[in-house]
Amino acid sequence: MFTMYSLSQHKQMLMHRLEKTGMEKSIIFGFISSLKSCLLNNPNMNHLQINKRLQFLGWDDFELDYHTLQLAKACFEAESLMNS
């Protein structure tokens, strides 16, 4: 079972990774929200499909890589387990 520490650790890792790619801190939560929405609507999308969807939503200047997507999925799964 995940603890609150592991949940915040996943989110911190995701946020740090997004910052390392050049994303401004002020827009990270909005991006994470958009990404989460994409995955909730279609959890079987690969990272290329998600990038197209994110571009449609206005995230034109950011390209999500496979590893960041996997980290985001782990973060969202941990959140889901905590909310169950």
Side-chain angles (χ1 to χ4, degrees):
M1 169 158 295
F2 290 96
T3 63
M4 283 301 262
Y5 176 74
S6 65
L7 176 65
S8 63
Q9 186 179 26
H10 277 101
K11 191 155 239 168
Q12 287 176 1
M13 288 172 53
L14 176 59
M15 292 172 63
H16 180 71
R17 187 165 180 103
L18 291 170
E19 280 182 61
K20 280 179 54 177
T21 64
M23 187 174 281
E24 295 287 328
K25 285 184 181 183
S26 61
I27 63 171
I28 287 177
F29 284 110
F31 178 80
I32 290 173
S33 178
S34 293
L35 177 56
K36 190 173 189 177
S37 176
C38 289
L39 288 170
L40 285 173
N41 288 330
N42 188 349
N44 297 319
M45 284 194 291
N46 64 37
H47 80 281
L48 298 174
Q49 293 167 318
I50 289 176
N51 274 317
K52 286 182 182 179
R53 181 68 183 152
L54 288 168
Q55 288 174 355
F56 177 77
L57 294 174
W59 297 100
D60 297 324
D61 49 344
F62 183 76
E63 179 105 4
L64 184 70
D65 65 89
Y66 176 80
H67 296 292
T68 305
L69 173 60
Q70 295 309 311
L71 181 57
K73 285 181 176 182
C75 180
F76 302 152
E77 287 174 13
E79 284 178 353
S80 177
L81 288 174
M82 289 300 296
N83 293 330
S84 295

